[in-house]
């Protein structure tokens, strides 16, 4: 786990490093979806006057949580993805079932899978104590995702802040918009295009799987019935297949977990892409980036495997872009006191 000095060093280095113009590919120079500019109310300095210690508070809670369970870093990063892909980055994913609210937590892609809510609760409580009714839950998710990435050895990025929280959730949209782990490459591209994200964003953001775990049920199809023919996925490297089959039997064991990147599961690096080139991507949605017969996407996988700096550059660009999906700003939405409940229900 990174020390405070390491995090500060990363922040300083990143402030110099990421000012450089991205050299590849040219069509991905902008940090926002085509036709969308940064919301004027969003700014990295949004809390400078009202809660300047916000990021320090977030990182302080994260350090304790990650020290207790390294896996939680990936879970918090995943929360940002699962929030932004459903009616925008508005913390709707945090809402529990309540009057007029059907929680997204019960959607098929989230149920018994998405996690990290208790850490968000702890961060929010600390923020409320220091700066009451100031930092939104949506921004808390974004700050926790960045902090988790940096503390895992990944890049730092400037987050445009000032999002407000939704008062409603949308389970139907969560079922529709969140790609399943067995998705084909064609479907993955469509899922991302629906959010204004392109192929570069797809490949770069998939690199979030350089940390974290997945349940057996998420990849069992690849082991035993990939094409509904009772045969394994031919793209699986043989020894990797044998290892997975030993911990994920044909019957039972669905809740057993395996690292998405078994070579360096706690370190945010480019090993994820190297494993994909070797046929050792865990999920179908990982491996098809290489085997899905899309030359542009395959070349990105190869480039990131060979050049970690390029991966970090593109990742930062894409996660900023994703964080700008339909945020609520100004008088839209609210700042929830409790991230699990809209203020009207407190």
């Amino acid at each position: 786990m990174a020390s405070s000095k390491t995090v500060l060093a990363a922040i300083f280095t990143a402030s110099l490093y990421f000012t450089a113009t991205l050299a590849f590919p040219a069509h991905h120079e902008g940090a926002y979806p085509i036709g969308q500019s940064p919301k004027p109310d969003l700014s990295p300095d949004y809390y400078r006057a009202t809660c300047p210690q916000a990021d320090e508070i977030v990182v302080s809670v994260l350090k304790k949580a990650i020290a207790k369970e390294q896996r939680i870093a990936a879970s918090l990063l995943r929360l940002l993805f699962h929030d932004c892909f459903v009616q925008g980055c508005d913390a709707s994913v945090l809402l529990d079932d309540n009057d007029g609210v059907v929680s997204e937590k019960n959607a098929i892609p989230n149920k018994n899978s998405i996690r990290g809510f208790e850490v968000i609760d702890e961060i929010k409580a600390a923020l409320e104590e220091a700066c009451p009714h100031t930092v939104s839950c949506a921004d808390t998710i974004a700050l926790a995702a960045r902090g988790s990435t940096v503390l895992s050895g990944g890049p730092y990025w400037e987050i445009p802040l000032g999002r407000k929280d939704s008062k409603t959730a949308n389970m139907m949209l969560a079922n529709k918009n969140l790609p399943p782990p067995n998705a084909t490459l064609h479907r993955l591209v469509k899922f991302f295009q629906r959010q204004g994200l392109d192929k570069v964003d797809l490949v770069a953001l998939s690199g979030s799987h350089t940390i974290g775990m997945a349940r057996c049920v998420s990849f069992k199809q690849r082991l035993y019935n990939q094409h509904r023919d009772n045969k394994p996925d031919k793209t699986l490297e043989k020894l990797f297949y044998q290892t997975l089959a030993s911990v994920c039997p044909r019957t039972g064991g669905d809740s057993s977990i395996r690292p998405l990147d078994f070579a360096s599961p706690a370190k945010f690096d480019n090993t994820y892409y190297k494993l994909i080139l070797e046929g050792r991507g865990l999920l179908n949605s990982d491996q098809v980036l290489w085997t899905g017969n899309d030359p542009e996407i395959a070349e990105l996988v190869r480039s990131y495997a060979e050049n970690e700096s390029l991966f970090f550059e593109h990742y930062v660009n894409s996660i900023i872009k994703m964080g700008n999906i339909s945020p609520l700003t100004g008088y839209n939405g609210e700042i929830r006191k409790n991230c699990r409940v809209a203020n009207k229900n407190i």
Side-chain angles (χ1 to χ4, degrees):
M1 186 177 65
S3 65
S4 298
K5 290 184 178 179
T6 303
V7 175
L8 290 173
I11 292 172
F12 175 75
T13 302
S15 66
L16 299 176
Y17 184 71
F18 293 116
T19 55
T21 300
L22 299 187
F24 168 80
H27 76 275
H28 196 244
E29 293 174 353
Y32 301 93
I34 295 173
Q36 296 182 27
S37 59
K39 293 284 185 179
D41 296 328
L42 294 183
S43 166
D45 298 323
Y46 188 83
Y47 298 113
R48 174 169 287 184
T50 56
C51 195
Q53 68 273 47
D55 190 49
E56 181 181 337
I57 291 170
V58 172
V59 171
S60 177
V61 175
L62 287 176
K63 285 181 178 178
K64 296 175 185 177
I66 294 172
K68 184 178 180 181
E69 183 195 13
Q70 180 69 47
R71 181 188 174 196
I72 202 65
S75 299
L76 293 168
L77 180 55
R78 187 170 180 238
L79 270 180
L80 180 65
F81 175 87
H82 281 235
D83 181 40
C84 291
F85 267 52
V86 182
Q87 67 182 29
C89 307
D90 61 359
S92 62
V93 71
L94 302 180
L95 288 170
D96 288 338
D97 284 329
N98 211 302
D99 292 342
V101 173
V102 178
S103 178
E104 293 167 18
K105 297 175 184 179
N106 295 319
I108 294 172
N110 292 332
K111 194 169 186 178
N112 300 320
S113 174
I114 199 166
R115 55 200 300 275
F117 301 112
E118 294 79 7
V119 179
I120 294 293
D121 291 341
E122 187 177 351
I123 293 172
K124 178 62 173 173
L127 289 169
E128 283 295 311
E129 182 177 353
C131 318
H133 202 65
T134 301
V135 182
S136 69
C137 298
D139 281 344
T140 299
I141 293 175
L143 289 166
R146 179 181 67 184
S148 294
T149 301
V150 173
L151 290 169
S152 300
Y156 174 93
W157 62 93
E158 291 283 355
I159 304 175
L161 298 166
R163 302 168 188 81
K164 297 296 174 61
D165 302 324
S166 67
K167 302 175 185 179
T168 61
N170 195 323
M171 187 175 74
M172 290 182 62
L173 204 58
N175 282 323
K176 177 182 177 182
N177 282 0
L178 294 171
N182 63 347
T184 64
L185 185 58
H186 176 75
R187 287 188 69 201
L188 286 172
V189 170
K190 293 297 184 183
F191 276 111
F192 275 68
Q193 286 179 342
R194 191 180 297 163
Q195 304 297 334
L197 302 174
D198 60 24
K199 291 181 179 180
V200 179
D201 302 316
L202 166 61
V203 183
L205 291 172
S206 292
S208 296
H209 286 178
T210 183
I211 56 175
M213 314 285 283
R215 293 183 302 152
C216 177
V217 69
S218 298
F219 56 87
K220 180 177 282 192
Q221 175 184 326
R222 297 189 70 203
L223 304 180
Y224 304 110
N225 194 24
Q226 174 69 342
H227 298 295
R228 298 184 180 180
D229 56 3
N230 291 314
K231 295 180 180 179
D233 183 351
K234 294 180 181 179
T235 67
L236 272 169
E237 190 270 333
K238 290 184 179 179
L239 288 178
F240 186 53
Y241 163 77
Q242 292 171 4
T243 299
L244 295 179
S246 69
V247 296
C248 184
R250 183 182 290 269
T251 302
D254 285 0
S255 294
S256 298
I257 57 174
R258 295 296 297 169
L260 290 156
D261 167 0
F262 71 87
S264 56
K267 182 174 173 55
F268 197 101
D269 56 20
N270 68 332
T271 305
Y272 164 82
Y273 299 101
K274 296 177 182 179
L275 294 175
I276 289 175
L277 294 181
E278 298 169 359
R280 295 191 284 180
L282 184 63
L283 305 179
N284 187 74
S285 57
D286 297 323
Q287 195 60 49
V288 294
L289 297 177
W290 178 242
T291 61
N293 297 317
D294 186 304
E296 180 185 352
I297 287 177
E299 181 56 32
L300 285 163
V301 172
R302 185 191 297 278
S303 296
Y304 295 165
E306 296 174 350
N307 188 339
E308 184 175 82
S309 295
L310 180 68
F311 162 47
F312 279 11
E313 287 183 35
H314 285 195
Y315 186 84
V316 163
N317 199 49
S318 292
I319 203 164
I320 292 173
K321 185 176 175 181
M322 184 179 76
N324 190 56
I325 296 174
S326 304
L328 297 173
T329 59
Y331 293 105
N332 295 314
E334 63 183 10
I335 298 173
R336 287 186 222 138
K337 183 177 181 180
N338 179 340
C339 289
R340 294 175 181 264
V341 185
N343 290 339
K344 66 179 180 179
N345 292 322
I346 293 178

